[in-house]
Each structure stands twice: as C-alpha cells, then as structure tokens.
Amino acid sequence: DSGVTQTPKHLITATGQRVTLRCSPRSGDLSVYWYQQSLDQGLQFLIQYYNGEERAKGNILERFSAQQFPDLHSELNLSSLELGDSALYFCASSVERGQGIDYGYTFGSGTRLTVV
Amino acid sequence: AQKITQTQPGMFVQEKEAVTLDCTYDTSDPSYGLFWYKQPSSGEMIFLIYQGSYDQQNATEGRYSLNFQKARKSANLVISASQLGDSAMYFCAMRERNTDKLIFGTGTRLQVFP
C-alpha cells in the first residue's frame, strides 16, 4: 500500500455520462497530481493542486475539472465522456519541494475508466 | 522546454543478464531531478530510483543503478541480474526545480525471458 488511495479501481460508463474519481493523498502530502495514461501511452499530466489551490495545469480538457478539499482529498470530474477518454487515471501526491530528499511522487493504484 | 525521450519501445533480456534502458532529457534549469518508475502489468507505478542534478555519484538502489551523464543529458537505468519479475514498462521522468510537475517519457517495455 503506497499510502495514496484512489477510488474506484474500475469504472465502466456510457458515452455522454459524467464520473467522479476520488483520491486521498499520503498522510502529510499537500500536493496532489492527476495523470491520464491511455493504452500503451506514457503519462500525461492533467492538473496539480497544492493545499487546496490549483498550482499547475497540463493538457486537461475543458470537460474535465478537479478540486482539492480542506481535508486534502481530491476529486477529478470527467463529463460528456467520449470513447477516447477510456484510460487509466492516476493520482499522485508529494511533499512540498525543498523538504528533504526529493523522491518524486507516490502514486495511487489508479482508476481504470472504460467508456462504452 | 522540459522533455524526456525514451527511444527503446521494447527490450528483451535473458534472466540473470544485465540490461540498460535509455533515457535522455532536455531542460534549461540547472537544478532538476530524474526518476525511474516501473509499471507492471497490474498497472501501479512503482518508484525505483532518483538522481539529482547536483549529485556527484550515480544513484544505486539494489539491482538498479542510474548511469548519469550530465553533459550528454542522459540518465540510463541499468538493471543487473534480471529476474522474470522485472518484466514491465519502465518510465523515465524529470522534475525541474521551479515546478512540481513530473514529465514522463513514453516508456520502454522490458521482457525478461528464461
């Protein structure tokens, strides 16, 4: 167990629908990152939150949105789903930069989204 | 702009042999970190090894070592004494000092055969 919890692990939904993916970061980590990994592809950065505030944005579609709550858990909302949104969605968390050795991110086990 | 390049889509290695997975990077920031992650077929991302841009020695973690050549901007992962369980996708990633983002390469699929 990495300490980063993602739910659900699997999700099957129809085109046009809306889903919410949930992430609880590792204890003590203030930053949460969302990544999308399509079939046999690398990880594409979507968005980062730090202590409740959006810090960086990547190639996130307008149909997608995210937020980080006061308890630091984060949700990624995907709406008007298309077949091409089928992917593995990862959440990761990290300590604030500059605090000790930089071990990068701790990843959750991912949510596998299938749009049919 | 920040970029990670992994030119080997797939690699094969015999059990107990060593294998090198290539990674080159591009950045204008003098301070950065380089990472390797393993992704087995089950899907999770497992941190393997880290190299800081100012580290004088190459990083090692058990059977994993990082061949860091700063002037050539390369950070190759060396796996010694390969095991069947090493079969997985391997991703190289970089994080610059002035951003928290990890940028990933496209990965190399390693297959270890008996």
Side-chain angles (χ1 to χ4, degrees), chain B residues 32-46:
Chain B
Y32 51 89
L34 297 158
F35 304 81
W36 278 91
Y37 283 85
K38 173 184 177 181
Q39 186 178 38
S41 58
S42 52
E44 71 268 30
M45 294 290 289
I46 302 168

Side-chain angles (χ1 to χ4, degrees), chain B residues 38 46-49 59-66 77-80 85-86 90:
Chain B
K38 173 184 177 181
I46 302 168
F47 166 76
L48 294 178
I49 196 167
T60 59
E61 288 288 345
R63 294 186 298 111
Y64 304 109
S65 61
L66 202 151
L77 177 70
V78 180
I79 305 175
S80 62
D86 293 334
Y90 288 81

